[in-house]
Amino acid sequence: NLGGQTVNYEIPAGYVTAEDPMYDVILGIMQKAMPQGLRIKAMYVQTANDVNFRTSNGESGLDNYLIITVLDQLANTTVSTKDFKDFKRELKENNGLLDEAQDMVSEKLDDVLRGQIQMGNMQSLGCFGETDTELSYVMLMDQQANINGKQIAIRQALVFTGVLVDGKLIFVNQYRIVDNESE
């Protein structure tokens, strides 16, 4: 529900709602790491990844998940077609604001996780899937995680999609651990 308007969507096939209590901690950390005013509305995890995560008592990593987010400042307003065109133009012209994103993400992660996860290189792979009501942007992020004193390097892809639905702008972020760009 955004500003009194209901936005309906289907959970993608092969995903389940992240609703086990173990996800509360993760969602809390993710929310703290989000830019101010960006609120997580829901999280969905690939079914097999969910089973591994829950049976490992939260010790198995999350390799493939989706997060639905909204900007608080837009939740109660109507976003016009022109506003959405401006958003898409800005995203495309500025490579997803990658420089600002890298600095902000690094700072937020350091504040929230106290050095347990550090950002490395972020690489833009650009925009795709543009229509009048959506635009996706993909980037790769190198990360170092300190898990029980052991350093683990991961490469994570982020597909950020802005979707305009009946004057409401929502963001679908898909995160997936990848081994190479072709994935």
Side-chain angles (χ1 to χ4, degrees):
N1 188 306
L2 299 174
Q5 183 171 341
T6 300
V7 176
N8 294 304
Y9 57 89
E10 292 181 25
I11 299 171
Y15 286 81
V16 295
T17 305
E19 57 190 358
D20 190 283
M22 286 187 289
Y23 286 109
D24 293 345
V25 172
I26 290 173
L27 285 167
I29 290 169
M30 285 181 182
Q31 184 61 64
K32 287 178 185 174
M34 293 280 173
Q36 188 171 356
L38 190 62
R39 186 156 326 281
I40 296 173
K41 298 296 274 186
M43 179 179 181
Y44 303 97
V45 180
Q46 195 173 39
T47 305
N49 202 195
D50 174 65
V51 170
N52 289 340
F53 181 73
R54 287 185 294 108
T55 58
S56 74
N57 201 29
E59 291 184 22
S60 174
L62 294 174
D63 295 337
N64 193 331
Y65 55 96
L66 303 167
I67 298 178
I68 309 292
T69 60
V70 296
L71 280 170
D72 287 342
Q73 67 191 43
L74 297 178
N76 294 314
T77 62
T78 299
V79 177
S80 70
T81 303
K82 181 194 176 306
D83 293 336
F84 189 66
K85 282 183 183 176
D86 292 343
F87 161 76
K88 292 189 306 182
R89 179 185 41 74
E90 182 78 18
L91 191 66
K92 290 187 292 188
E93 287 178 2
N94 293 297
N95 288 321
L97 305 171
L98 193 58
D99 292 336
E100 293 90 344
Q102 186 160 359
D103 292 342
M104 186 276 303
V105 168
S106 293
E107 184 177 305
K108 283 283 202 175
L109 283 177
D110 201 38
D111 283 349
V112 173
L113 299 172
R114 294 176 173 57
Q116 294 298 307
I117 296 179
Q118 296 179 345
M119 291 300 297
N121 185 43
M122 292 177 83
Q123 176 186 3
S124 168
L125 298 182
C127 294
F128 67 97
E130 182 176 359
T131 69
D132 289 341
T133 58
E134 67 183 63
L135 177 67
S136 293
Y137 177 83
V138 64
M139 73 172 70
L140 296 176
M141 303 173 289
D142 292 326
Q143 301 172 32
Q144 289 284 332
N146 183 343
I147 312 275
N148 298 326
K150 181 180 177 186
Q151 290 292 332
I152 298 172
I154 61 171
R155 178 165 256 205
Q156 188 175 49
L158 164 61
V159 177
F160 163 84
T161 303
V163 183
L164 184 63
V165 181
D166 296 328
K168 299 297 179 186
L169 182 59
I170 62 171
F171 303 102
V172 180
N173 302 320
Q174 180 177 10
Y175 298 88
R176 180 176 176 206
I177 303 299
V178 296
D179 292 320
N180 55 58
E181 280 184 33
S182 65
E183 287 187 60

